[in-house]
Amino acid sequence: MTRIPGRALTVPPTLADVAERAGVSRQTVSNAVNNPELLRADTLVRVQEAIEELGYSPNRAARNLRTRSSHLIGLRMSPVQEFTANAAADRFVHSLVDTSREAGYQVLLFSGDATDPESGYDDLLRSTAVDAFVVTDTYLGNPQAAWLRERRAPFVAFGRPWDDPSATHPWVDVDGAAGAELATRHLLDKGHTRIAWIGWRKDSFIGEDRRSGWSRTLKERGLPTTGLASRVEDTVNSGREASAVLLDEALPTAFVCASDTLAMGVMHTLAERGMHAGEDVAVVGFDDSQTAQVMHPGLTSVRQPLEDVAIEVVSALEGLLAHPRRIAEGKLLTPTLAVRRSS
Amino acid sequence: MTRIPGRALTVPPTLADVAERAGVSRQTVSNAVNNPELLRADTLVRVQEAIEELGYSPNRAARNLRTRSSHLIGLRMSPVQEFTANAAADRFVHSLVDTSREAGYQVLLFSGDATDPESGYDDLLRSTAVDAFVVTDTYLGNPQAAWLRERRAPFVAFGRPWDDPSATHPWVDVDGAAGAELATRHLLDKGHTRIAWIGWRKDSFIGEDRRSGWSRTLKERGLPTTGLASRVEDTVNSGREASAVLLDEALPTAFVCASDTLAMGVMHTLAERGMHAGEDVAVVGFDDSQTAQVMHPGLTSVRQPLEDVAIEVVSALEGLLAHPRRIAEGKLLTPTLAVRRSS
DNA sequence: TTGAAAGCGCTAACAC
DNA sequence: GTGTTAGCGCTTTCAA
């Protein structure tokens, strides 16, 4: 925006201003912006110069009104979890923002109270404030998915529709079983044969999925799983208590945990007993949190490819918005293992 | 939205639909939504029923176009930092989203490449996509602040204008010196007299501010600071190395660190030497990260009142948008100390 | 290849 | 208290 003396900078130039300056009609300016190939080369140059000189950007509200699309993606933030090592959601938001931008979209954040999963979505949808949603909190089924589908709202889920295999919306997820398998195989390679599992309550689909990767890997090798598994809440203290019991009763030499939070609980138990992770007992967590990265001695952890998840989510979103009736697809990505000194 | 057979749900009702159903003019519906006190009670009820029945929400684009405001706040995400314990930015985003909603605003996230601080702001501003910005990354002065001010863009900064005390924009910040003082006093109360500081490079305003809280507290008590301070990069390894040198050369019994990341570095050194935090040496970090909360044995850390920061930021934003010419104010909040077993 | 007309859905200003 | 008129800035349709 060049500084025009006397005119407030707070009133940005419009299409008409550019048209006047370039000596063309408003429509031609619009075409220069949206369909430059329609203009003769010299006209295009003249218009672009005027745009540059005035610092013109199309008014978003006017464009949104006319095109009935906002190029905004709605994302509901799940509440902050303190006293856990879970930061996957935040890492994902970063990736999503970056990827969306490349696709010409921006992310509108909103929050809703935890008790009402639909709150927030409804208003945004009816006011056509966003073109689509990205739904992330699908840990225990996802009521929003059914709700959004019913309203024909375009959305992509990060997380499988566990509770409804017939669901027809696009989704992207990370193969938790493969992650746990990766972790378990890594420990097998290190010579461990008694490998314990500390996971979440049985009603957690994600927890059971991850657990299955551990159990199937041990069973494949004919190794025991009985008495070596524990299902608890996702807190440090639960992990601490569960690992203490397991150490006493099942004598494992390694732990695979459904989260870094639980793995930190194991670390507490080890420290309390004067044992050292990576020397006396191996520990592997899940999510590659900042804590896993900075703690002593470094926690081996399954890392979700959240950057790739974001790419797939945005790609699905583009498909969805371009072809609303297209059949939905699911995409399952494979995690990696960040090996550190705890194993 | 009631389901109207034959009509696609993707075309939401408009003001005109509601007006027709309620048997009033469009303007009256608009008033019912925006100035209900102007309507006679029975008319209001009738209109509200129609709104309810049709599931009407005002179209945002149309409203934004007409009112020249979007009720959106732009927030640029700083890049993800891995291998640190810094998550204050993410915690702040959560608080900001929640607080904004209460004030009728939503948060639009955008990203820009790290090399060009203005990228992203410019387009959003010229296209009138957001009403205001919240600027957070002010650790080394804030070039965006000057840039935004020059363009008369409404914004509130989380972070003082360190490099320009004459800056006239509203800001909110947390008193880092008070935080470090809190940490240092806590250690003095525990009987420590040789308290070391590990902080950031000298060109970090925030780092020097925090450091001053440590040094002034010790000087007040007539205790030594010489040789007890180290200025390094904000990485775990820097903290590890700096603490090793300090332990050897200055024999401190406690450490105050400018970040939890640095504090974790101290933890590494202690572990490597078979020493125990909280028993042999006390350690205090800064930011109350998830890592501080979940690690063994728990890291005492200065906690920024980010929820309050968000409240003050939104409040300043409201003032700014309501009275654009009002003189700017700065607000300094005091942190607290989360005491854990490392001290 | 360029221009003119119409209208997206809403609200400010004013008339009744 | 309620209705009428106009127009925010843009793009779609159609004519030149």
Side-chain angles (χ1 to χ4, degrees):
Chain A
M1 265 181 264
T2 43
R3 185 142 190 169
I4 304 162
R7 181 171 181 183
L9 278 173
T10 45
V11 180
T14 71
L15 211 57
D17 298 329
V18 179
E20 193 186 353
R21 187 177 192 103
V24 296
S25 76
R26 284 161 43 204
Q27 184 49 37
T28 300
V29 179
S30 176
N31 283 337
V33 174
N34 300 306
N35 303 92
E37 73 281 1
L38 291 180
L39 300 206
R40 211 173 44 213
D42 61 326
T43 321
L44 181 58
V45 169
R46 220 166 64 243
V47 174
Q48 281 172 339
E49 280 173 2
I51 288 176
E52 189 67 30
E53 286 165 21
L54 293 173
Y56 169 75
S57 283
N59 178 298
R60 287 264 266 260
R63 175 177 268 183
N64 295 350
L65 176 59
R66 188 65 240 230
T67 62
R68 298 171 172 285
S69 90
S70 63
H71 280 235
L72 250 38
I73 295 171
L75 179 69
R76 178 169 141 164
M77 295 207 94
S78 33
V80 204
Q81 294 193 313
E82 300 222 52
F83 298 97
T84 70
N86 310 337
D90 290 323
R91 241 182 72 212
F92 175 66
V93 173
H94 273 90
S95 300
L96 186 67
V97 170
D98 288 339
T99 314
S100 304
R101 186 177 65 140
E102 289 162 20
Y105 283 83
Q106 271 161 332
V107 174
L108 178 63
L109 242 41
F110 64 102
S111 62
D113 50 300
T115 54
D116 178 11
E118 279 88 47
S119 80
Y121 289 103
D122 199 25
D123 182 58
L124 247 25
L125 190 56
R126 299 194 306 191
S127 62
T128 64
V130 299
D131 288 353
F133 293 100
V134 172
V135 176
T136 58
D137 34 0
T138 63
Y139 28 83
L140 292 180
N142 41 356
Q144 314 91 311
W147 189 90
L148 288 168
R149 209 176 318 140
E150 197 179 306
R151 261 143 255 257
R152 309 212 189 298
F155 74 99
V156 176
F158 174 13
R160 273 162 279 187
W162 296 100
D163 51 346
D164 180 11
S166 70
T168 55
H169 64 266
W171 54 262
V172 181
D173 205 355
V174 175
D175 192 340
E181 181 171 338
L182 214 52
T184 310
R185 281 191 196 283
H186 165 70
L187 293 169
L188 289 172
D189 289 349
K190 294 281 179 189
H192 295 276
T193 54
R194 290 193 67 78
I195 301 173
W197 170 259
I198 301 180
W200 298 327
R201 306 190 317 258
K202 204 157 187 170
D203 59 358
S204 161
F205 292 104
I206 298 178
E208 290 304 289
D209 181 46
R210 293 183 182 178
R211 185 183 191 283
S212 73
W214 162 79
S215 60
R216 81 180 176 211
T217 306
L218 291 183
K219 281 173 187 156
E220 270 171 27
R221 304 276 179 111
L223 293 170
T225 56
T226 320
L228 280 165
S230 189
R231 286 191 182 90
V232 297
E233 292 288 313
D234 191 36
T235 67
V236 173
N237 205 39
S238 299
R240 192 179 62 76
E241 290 171 356
S243 55
V245 172
L246 283 165
L247 276 175
D248 290 339
E249 298 183 353
L251 306 172
T253 61
F255 288 90
V256 180
C257 302
S259 74
D260 281 355
T261 304
L262 291 173
M264 288 310 295
V266 178
M267 293 295 189
H268 280 240
T269 295
L270 297 183
E272 283 160 10
R273 298 187 176 197
M275 298 168 82
H276 293 279
E279 296 170 22
D280 306 312
V281 170
V283 183
V284 180
F286 213 109
D287 260 1
D288 197 22
S289 60
Q290 289 187 321
T291 300
Q293 297 173 5
V294 302
M295 69 163 294
H296 184 88
L299 174 63
T300 297
S301 191
V302 177
R303 183 179 173 93
Q304 301 197 46
L306 298 182
E307 300 77 10
D308 298 331
V309 171
I311 290 170
E312 293 295 338
V313 164
V314 171
S315 156
L317 224 36
E318 291 184 290
L320 195 64
L321 294 171
H323 313 283
R325 299 261 167 255
R326 192 159 72 177
I327 31 161
E329 285 170 38
K331 194 126 193 173
L332 201 55
L333 303 181
T334 306
T336 55
L337 191 68
V339 178
R340 301 201 178 85
R341 284 175 44 208
S342 72
S343 67
Chain B
M1 270 181 259
T2 44
R3 185 144 189 165
I4 304 161
R7 182 171 179 183
L9 278 171
T10 44
V11 181
T14 71
L15 210 59
D17 297 329
V18 178
E20 193 185 354
R21 186 176 193 105
V24 296
S25 75
R26 285 160 40 199
Q27 184 52 39
T28 300
V29 179
S30 176
N31 283 337
V33 174
N34 300 306
N35 303 92
E37 73 283 0
L38 291 179
L39 300 207
R40 209 172 46 212
D42 60 328
T43 321
L44 182 57
V45 169
R46 222 168 62 245
V47 174
Q48 282 173 337
E49 281 172 1
I51 288 175
E52 188 67 29
E53 286 163 20
L54 293 174
Y56 169 76
S57 283
N59 180 298
R60 288 262 267 259
R63 174 177 272 183
N64 294 350
L65 177 59
R66 188 63 241 230
T67 63
R68 296 170 174 287
S69 89
S70 63
H71 280 235
L72 251 36
I73 295 170
L75 178 70
R76 176 167 144 167
M77 294 207 93
S78 33
V80 203
Q81 295 193 310
E82 301 224 51
F83 299 96
T84 70
N86 309 339
D90 290 322
R91 241 182 74 213
F92 175 67
V93 173
H94 273 91
S95 299
L96 184 67
V97 170
D98 287 340
T99 314
S100 304
R101 186 178 64 142
E102 288 163 23
Y105 284 83
Q106 272 160 334
V107 174
L108 179 65
L109 241 42
F110 63 102
S111 60
D113 51 301
T115 54
D116 177 9
E118 281 88 44
S119 82
Y121 288 102
D122 198 27
D123 182 59
L124 247 24
L125 190 57
R126 298 194 305 190
S127 63
T128 65
V130 299
D131 288 354
F133 292 99
V134 171
V135 176
T136 58
D137 34 0
T138 61
Y139 27 82
L140 290 181
N142 42 359
Q144 312 91 314
W147 189 89
L148 288 168
R149 209 176 320 138
E150 195 179 307
R151 258 142 258 257
R152 307 211 191 302
F155 74 99
V156 177
F158 173 14
R160 271 162 279 185
W162 295 102
D163 50 346
D164 179 10
S166 70
T168 55
H169 63 267
W171 54 262
V172 182
D173 205 355
V174 175
D175 192 339
E181 179 171 341
L182 214 53
T184 310
R185 282 191 195 282
H186 165 71
L187 293 169
L188 289 172
D189 290 347
K190 294 282 178 188
H192 296 276
T193 52
R194 290 192 67 77
I195 302 173
W197 170 260
I198 302 180
W200 298 325
R201 307 191 314 257
K202 205 156 188 170
D203 58 357
S204 161
F205 293 105
I206 299 178
E208 290 305 287
D209 180 46
R210 293 182 182 178
R211 185 183 191 282
S212 73
W214 162 79
S215 60
R216 81 179 176 213
T217 306
L218 291 183
K219 281 174 188 155
E220 269 171 28
R221 303 278 179 108
L223 292 170
T225 56
T226 318
L228 279 164
S230 189
R231 286 190 181 93
V232 296
E233 292 290 312
D234 190 35
T235 67
V236 174
N237 205 42
S238 299
R240 193 178 62 75
E241 290 170 357
S243 55
V245 171
L246 284 165
L247 277 174
D248 290 340
E249 299 184 353
L251 305 172
T253 62
F255 288 90
V256 180
C257 302
S259 74
D260 281 356
T261 304
L262 291 173
M264 288 310 294
V266 179
M267 292 296 188
H268 281 239
T269 294
L270 296 183
E272 283 160 9
R273 300 187 174 197
M275 299 170 81
H276 293 279
E279 296 170 21
D280 306 313
V281 170
V283 184
V284 179
F286 214 111
D287 260 1
D288 198 23
S289 60
Q290 288 186 323
T291 300
Q293 298 174 3
V294 303
M295 69 161 297
H296 184 87
L299 174 65
T300 297
S301 191
V302 177
R303 183 179 173 93
Q304 302 197 45
L306 299 182
E307 300 78 11
D308 297 331
V309 172
I311 290 170
E312 293 297 340
V313 164
V314 171
S315 158
L317 224 33
E318 289 183 291
L320 194 64
L321 293 171
H323 314 282
R325 300 263 167 253
R326 194 157 71 176
I327 30 161
E329 283 170 39
K331 193 129 197 171
L332 202 54
L333 303 181
T334 306
T336 56
L337 190 69
V339 178
R340 303 205 176 85
R341 287 174 43 209
S342 72
S343 69

